[in-house]
Amino acid sequence: MTIDSNLETLPPISVLHREIPALAGINKYQHHQTQCIYVHSGVLAIITEHGRYFIPPQQAIIIPDELIHELLAKTEVKLSIFYFIAEESTHLPTHPQVITVDPLLTALMNESLQISNDYLWESSDGRLLRLIRDKLSQAKVLDTFLPYPKDSRLTNITERLLKHPSLKSDLNFWGKFVNASPRTLSRVFKKETNITYSEWRQRLNIQIAIKHLSLGDSINSIAELLGYESSSAFIYMFRKQMGVSPSQFLKN
């Protein structure tokens, strides 16, 4: 699957619009330009060697030039991709970053659906794209990043949790599974991911919850999927991590 072509012939800021079926994507690839992917609807995953980013509906991710990454639509996705030549990306993040898109930027993104890439740089379309660029440089970070450890003992654990997120096993259990002490696993986990095992589990749960909230699943069913004893316990975790309740999250 390809998303773009002939970028060399496009203007300093260009935009492409695509719809991607659920579970479709692109294996490892890279661009020579910084890009911003805005998700109009659905949930998108961007995967690098360091971990996985989830982009909820009506939010965006900045991906720096030359970064090797994978793209996977977790649900049906409608997106816009903005490309910036080096001179137009000087104030954008230099590492992958999911950002919040406020109502004004959302309106600008939606307005960009009318732009074709034969526009004139000094036209109103060019000014609109430059305004989007400026707003992106000021956007707040939305931390939906799930870091991937490298240690083989930890990857044995995280791969099983990615497949079976409702597992509630602690490091005492996993220590027996991978033949390592809980203290060692805790130390290596923190060293390689910069977060604790418990925090990693919560971030995994947040990513899964974002996907199922986007699909319209009930809070009760999501809590059950993730192994929570009650929906209130899941809501508490979600609010603590994201600052809003699950029901408020997609509305924002």
Side-chain angles (χ1 to χ4, degrees):
M1 172 185 177
T2 60
I3 284 201
D4 51 60
S5 61
N6 299 323
L7 288 178
E8 295 80 2
T9 65
L10 297 178
I13 304 175
S14 55
V15 57
L16 300 174
H17 309 291
R18 294 288 183 267
E19 295 184 11
I20 306 177
L23 303 182
I26 307 175
N27 290 330
K28 293 180 180 180
Y29 73 114
Q30 62 190 136
H31 295 286
H32 301 307
Q33 297 180 342
T34 295
Q35 60 177 310
C36 169
I37 302 178
Y38 173 70
V39 178
H40 293 272
S41 61
V43 176
L44 184 71
I46 296 295
I47 305 162
T48 73
E49 64 174 327
H50 300 295
R52 182 174 73 181
Y53 300 82
F54 261 38
I55 305 90
Q58 299 181 30
Q59 308 297 344
I61 184 170
I62 307 294
I63 304 175
D65 62 300
E66 309 302 341
L67 179 75
I68 297 174
H69 59 284
E70 299 178 40
L71 179 150
L72 177 64
K74 304 299 290 186
T75 68
E76 292 184 3
V77 171
K78 180 180 179 182
L79 51 79
S80 293
I81 311 170
F82 299 83
Y83 296 93
F84 304 87
I85 64 171
E87 291 82 355
E88 300 298 328
S89 62
T90 54
H91 298 293
L92 296 178
T94 56
H95 59 278
Q97 196 170 92
V98 179
I99 59 173
T100 60
V101 178
D102 64 23
L104 173 57
L105 186 50
T106 297
L108 296 174
M109 296 287 198
N110 290 333
E111 188 68 20
S112 76
L113 292 170
Q114 309 304 319
I115 296 178
S116 60
N117 285 316
D118 58 357
Y119 73 90
L120 298 177
W121 183 239
E122 296 301 329
S123 68
S124 59
D125 287 341
R127 292 193 293 273
L128 173 64
L129 291 175
R130 293 195 291 278
L131 180 56
I132 288 174
R133 174 206 60 195
D134 293 342
K135 291 291 292 180
L136 288 173
S137 69
Q138 301 167 0
K140 295 180 180 179
V141 175
L142 178 65
D143 191 0
T144 63
F145 179 58
L146 182 71
Y148 286 169
K150 301 295 185 182
D151 186 281
S152 60
R153 295 165 297 184
L154 300 185
T155 57
N156 280 338
I157 296 170
T158 56
E159 286 173 2
R160 281 162 176 77
L161 289 171
L162 286 165
K163 293 178 181 178
H164 307 287
S166 63
L167 288 174
K168 291 299 181 183
S169 305
D170 59 17
L171 289 180
N172 289 310
F173 171 87
W174 291 119
K176 297 174 183 177
F177 182 74
V178 299
N179 194 27
S181 71
R183 178 174 294 184
T184 295
L185 293 178
S186 178
R187 174 179 55 79
V188 178
F189 213 102
K190 180 72 173 179
K191 178 182 178 181
E192 294 204 350
T193 66
N194 291 318
I195 57 177
T196 66
Y197 169 73
S198 176
E199 290 169 334
W200 192 93
R201 288 290 310 275
Q202 289 181 341
R203 290 201 186 188
L204 172 62
N205 287 344
I206 289 294
Q207 287 196 347
I208 296 170
I210 287 172
K211 171 186 173 181
H212 287 277
L213 287 168
S214 176
L215 290 171
D217 294 350
S218 71
I219 291 175
N220 285 340
S221 66
I222 298 172
E224 183 177 350
L225 171 69
L226 297 176
Y228 284 88
E229 295 181 357
S230 66
S231 58
S232 59
F234 163 68
I235 293 170
Y236 175 82
M237 181 279 298
F238 193 97
R239 186 189 295 274
K240 183 178 179 181
Q241 292 293 310
M242 303 303 293
V244 294
S245 70
S247 59
Q248 293 171 320
F249 178 74
L250 292 181
K251 293 179 182 179
N252 291 342

